[in-house]
Amino acid sequence: MAISTRNIFGSVGVAGRTAAASLLTLLFATGPAWAFTGPTNDLVLNDTCSRVATAGCVANDGAITGVELADAAHLPAGVTQPTSCTLGDPVTIYLQATVQGGNTNRYDVGLFVATDGNYPNPNAGQTQSTNCAVFAPTGVSGGPYPSPFTNQGTANACGDAAKTIPAGSIWNLATTDGTPTGTALPLTVKCTSTTPGNLTVNAVSVYTQSSSNTCTGANSVAPGTSSKCNQLTFTVPMIVESPVTVTKTVTGAPASGAPGNYGYSIACGNPTGTYTGTVTLSGTATTGTSTVNIPAGSTGCTISETSVATAPANYSWSSPTYTQPPATIPNGAASAGITNPLTPLAGSLTVTKNVTGGPATTSAMTFPFTVSCSTPTATYSGTVTVAANQITGTSSAVSIPAGSTNCTITEGALPTAPTNYSWGTPTYTQPAPGALAADGTLTGTITNPLSANAGSLTVTKNVTGGPATTSAMTFPFTVGCSTPTATYGGTVNVAANATTGTSAPVSVPAGSTNCTITEGTLPTAPANYTWGTPTYTQPAAGALAAGGTLTGAINNPLSANAGSLTVTKNVTGGPATTSAMTFPFTVGCSTPTATYSGSVNVAANAT
């Protein structure tokens, strides 16, 4: 029964390679013969090669001159020789040997063929074979034997090579039927090669120099002395394929991985051929391998992607990069690779900045921020610029992977506040927490309050023209300022029995200018007095420094309310005046101490 390499192994995936290793162990292990029908006195399998391992093998005319593939006439019905094999894998072939007579007869001829790819009789640097197939041309004692062998000495089960055998004679390594037309026996060997395009098989032919030996068949043929053997290395024209392992690597994948099938092909220029394979990634895996067989010695081989798995949700494939196979495929393992980067599909987020409680900015201000999201967990950054003379602005769109959730904005380092202002604690309107759709948009807001840095203003109150107050009096006032335009209130208390007082400091934003004091509603004037028009000493008009002080004064005059005094003039002891007469007088008073003047007119002819 012939078993082709491809029928044994099928595909070249990881599972196939494991199966191959298991089958190699089975085929090459020392033990019972392989399970197919064949005469054991013609062929012994799983021999340890020990009969030839240490032989000198200096003979170069050992009757068997070469080994080659059996011709079609000797193949089992419906069977053809394989045309290719994969390095390291078993391959089943059918053989025949070429035989030629030497200067003398050769007795009890045999052939040891290494089936494990090593050497039955190794030279320095070569590995000793431990698994040989041993052939012997056997028959009933004295013959007949398979052609071209005969009995040239004492009759036994093993054939001899007469010195008269012509060159090029064929020994059909077949069933023992005593004729040259038997069916060749299948032999499974390890696929090895020392020359691209050829299967290499190593063998040793043996014989004895004595015609009187006892030989029972393939299980007993051996060199008559250590030199009575000949090393044979033969090559079989066959496409020997090297396993090329292709590694697939996916980068940028989410935690769920990128499962699926990834197809590829390797196209070679000489010989021309295209070889295809598939790497399958399972579960969360982002790397995997598969193997494709390519004829050793092929040149100009280039790997390319033929198909990729569906990208994970919210991701897209970017262009793959390649690790190309060797320029010349070696007689042995080779490698290549394809890396497939995944790129998250992007949505976007914009942040609006509002500045409150202060003046419009006099120059542009930039506010950095970060956005922290889940699914995937990552942080992104952006900036909002508020233009000069503005109090609001909106950021450029920040690219965020689709599918991101629970995005949270955080204020970065604030710019310097406007002169004479300080930043307060920001407040946020956070984006919606749901998953961001591909090409979707999230929005958020950061509000930054400004508070003016304070200076102070005090007002002095002077009451003039009246008595000291008999009870405390409170005088309200307001202060109207520019930069910013605002009005502030305060009061001055003048204590009982005093005519002056100073207000508590009124908090006024630093930078305020042109502050003007205005009298409020006056308290009730002292008894018998009336308030006059106030006069002001206004604060300095320049900008109030942070922590600075402005002063001003309000003078409030009192005027006494007037009563009246009349003086009657009586002229006695004389005649009535003949003309009018005017009599001046003065009036001196206390509380207050003062002198007042007046006059009395006495008309003509009156007294």
Side-chain angles (χ1 to χ4, degrees), residues 321-335:
T321 57
Y322 298 93
T323 300
Q324 295 295 343
T328 300
I329 301 299
N331 280 315
S335 62

Side-chain angles (χ1 to χ4, degrees), residues 118-444:
N118 295 317
Y119 295 84
N121 179 251
N123 294 322
Q126 296 175 339
T127 302
Q128 168 68 56
S129 174
T130 58
N131 197 303
C132 285
V134 185
F135 293 90
T138 58
V140 296
S141 181
Y145 305 100
S147 177
F149 299 100
T150 57
N151 179 36
Q152 298 295 319
T154 302
N156 61 29
C158 299
D160 307 324
K163 64 181 180 180
T164 58
I165 295 175
S169 296
I170 299 298
W171 173 25
N172 176 26
L173 303 178
T175 54
T176 306
D177 57 3
T179 71
T181 59
T183 300
L185 293 170
L187 180 64
T188 299
V189 298
K190 183 178 181 179
C191 182
T192 58
S193 177
T194 56
T195 304
N198 291 281
L199 169 68
T200 299
V201 180
N202 299 306
V204 170
S205 65
V206 300
Y207 67 93
T208 68
Q209 71 277 22
S210 173
S211 64
S212 59
N213 294 319
T214 299
C215 181
T216 60
N219 61 349
S220 63
V221 291
T225 65
S226 65
S227 65
K228 304 308 181 186
C229 55
N230 187 25
Q231 295 174 336
L232 299 171
T233 294
F234 59 97
T235 57
V236 178
M238 183 179 294
I239 298 174
V240 177
E241 298 175 334
S242 293
V244 178
T245 298
V246 176
T247 299
K248 168 68 63 177
T249 302
V250 175
T251 61
S256 57
N261 296 322
Y262 298 81
Y264 62 88
S265 67
I266 298 178
C268 297
N270 185 22
T272 300
T274 299
Y275 311 91
T276 62
T278 300
V279 178
T280 298
L281 300 183
S282 302
T284 61
T286 56
T287 186
T289 61
S290 75
T291 301
V292 63
N293 297 320
I294 299 176
S298 296
T299 61
C301 298
T302 303
I303 190 170
S304 60
E305 187 98 72
T306 59
S307 64
V308 294
T310 301
N314 297 316
Y315 284 80
S316 65
W317 292 113
S318 297
S319 298
T321 57
Y322 298 93
T323 300
Q324 295 295 343
T328 300
I329 301 299
N331 280 315
S335 62
I338 305 175
T339 298
N340 293 86
L342 279 168
T343 302
L345 295 175
S348 63
L349 178 143
T350 57
V351 173
T352 297
K353 171 70 62 174
N354 295 318
V355 177
T356 62
T361 59
T362 55
S363 59
M365 303 177 75
T366 299
F367 297 81
F369 62 88
T370 58
V371 184
S372 298
C373 300
S374 303
T375 324
T377 299
T379 300
Y380 314 92
S381 59
T383 58
V384 180
T385 297
V386 176
N389 302 314
Q390 300 296 318
I391 58 172
T392 190
T394 300
S395 71
S396 299
V398 176
S399 180
I400 295 178
S404 295
T405 59
N406 300 311
C407 294
T408 302
I409 306 164
T410 302
E411 183 85 80
L414 289 168
T416 302
T419 302
N420 298 316
Y421 281 82
S422 296
W423 293 113
T425 302
T427 58
Y428 298 90
T429 301
Q430 297 292 354
L436 175 60
D439 296 322
T441 300
L442 294 174
T443 60

Side-chain angles (χ1 to χ4, degrees), residues 31-42:
W34 291 330
F36 64 85
T37 301
T40 58
N41 63 335
D42 279 335

